[in-house]
Amino acid sequence: MKEYKKFQNTQKIFGEESRSEKFDDYMQGFSKSCAIQAQKIILEKYGIFYSEEMLIEKAETLNMYDPESGVKAEFIGALLEEENIPINHYHDANIFNITNELSQGHQIIVGVNSSNLNNIPIEQESADHAIIVSGIDTSDPNNIIVNITDPATGEVAKAYPLNDFIDAWKDSNYFMVSTTAPPSPHLNLPEMQNFEYDDDERGHIKMIGELSYEDFQELYG
């Protein structure tokens, strides 16, 4: 199991803070397996371990994966459900939905246009890649950062300016999958170090920036 860094929760970082790390076993092994690999990474955060090949075989058996086209949006998250990790699908989601899910310790996969994400000048207006949103840093309200774990590169919680992320995300019509429960505390994940698991059994961060969780929910939930 990988060793994770701890960090000080400033209540302005939701999820995992940006890191300059790369894991070879986080990289997808096939050109169209990003959604499979993203689910593999999340499964590990719940203490469930499979090889990418095993998950591909399972997905093919369930008719969820085509090696030529990958995983259709409606099937992203199905491998998590197969392991009894419930999920929600979002369409037309927004950054407040992401922040809300992260504040509850949930894991998130979104669809993006990989060319826009990496500032590649290719005229493409459709999503072609699945990534994990690992965290959001609102420490500087004028420079909000979205931290992304990318199966294409193996990079963990790499920082992207909010506008760049939105530009890439919009081409999936703001598609998002999130888990509905946080990973177990005994796994000591970095994004969960200061998470209030016992907060009235609700499980969420108490403050989101200057707002209480309840006020944030009222405004954006």
Side-chain angles (χ1 to χ4, degrees), residues 9-15 99-100 102-104 136 138 194-196 199 202-217:
N9 186 350
T10 65
Q11 296 189 343
K12 294 183 183 296
I13 299 174
F14 310 102
T99 304
N100 184 38
L102 289 172
S103 73
Q104 296 177 80
I136 291 180
T138 65
N194 294 283
F195 187 73
E196 300 286 347
D199 184 14
R202 292 172 296 186
H204 57 69
I205 292 172
K206 291 182 178 180
M207 298 292 294
I208 300 179
E210 302 301 320
L211 294 174
S212 70
Y213 177 81
E214 289 78 11
D215 287 343
F216 182 90
Q217 279 282 81

Side-chain angles (χ1 to χ4, degrees), residues 57-107:
E57 182 177 349
K58 179 180 284 197
E60 288 180 325
T61 300
L62 296 169
N63 295 316
M64 298 175 182
Y65 172 76
D66 182 329
E68 297 298 321
S69 58
V71 179
K72 290 183 179 179
E74 61 262 35
F75 294 133
I76 295 177
L79 291 173
L80 304 178
E81 291 182 303
E82 284 288 308
E83 297 299 326
N84 298 313
I85 299 173
I87 61 168
N88 283 325
H89 277 91
Y90 287 77
H91 298 276
D92 267 336
N94 57 54
I95 200 67
F96 301 109
N97 298 134
I98 288 179
T99 304
N100 184 38
E101 296 294 346
L102 289 172
S103 73
Q104 296 177 80
H106 299 165
Q107 304 295 309

Side-chain angles (χ1 to χ4, degrees), residues 154-173:
E155 292 171 299
V156 178
K158 181 179 178 180
Y160 285 83
L162 176 61
N163 286 342
D164 290 354
F165 169 75
I166 294 292
D167 191 41
W169 188 28
K170 73 177 188 299
D171 287 340
S172 71
N173 294 318

Side-chain angles (χ1 to χ4, degrees), residues 19-30:
R19 303 161 67 184
S20 299
E21 291 187 282
K22 184 175 180 178
F23 295 137
D24 288 343
D25 62 341
Y26 271 21
M27 292 180 64
Q28 63 195 76
F30 306 89

Side-chain angles (χ1 to χ4, degrees), residues 120-184:
I120 299 172
I122 297 175
E123 292 186 8
Q124 173 181 302
E125 296 183 357
S126 60
D128 63 348
H129 190 41
I131 60 172
I132 295 170
V133 178
S134 301
I136 291 180
D137 187 343
T138 65
S139 301
D140 179 357
N142 297 314
N143 183 32
I144 294 175
I145 297 298
V146 180
N147 299 323
I148 288 169
T149 296
D150 190 345
T153 63
E155 292 171 299
V156 178
K158 181 179 178 180
Y160 285 83
L162 176 61
N163 286 342
D164 290 354
F165 169 75
I166 294 292
D167 191 41
W169 188 28
K170 73 177 188 299
D171 287 340
S172 71
N173 294 318
Y174 304 105
F175 172 81
M176 178 174 87
V177 169
S178 69
T179 62
T180 64
S184 171

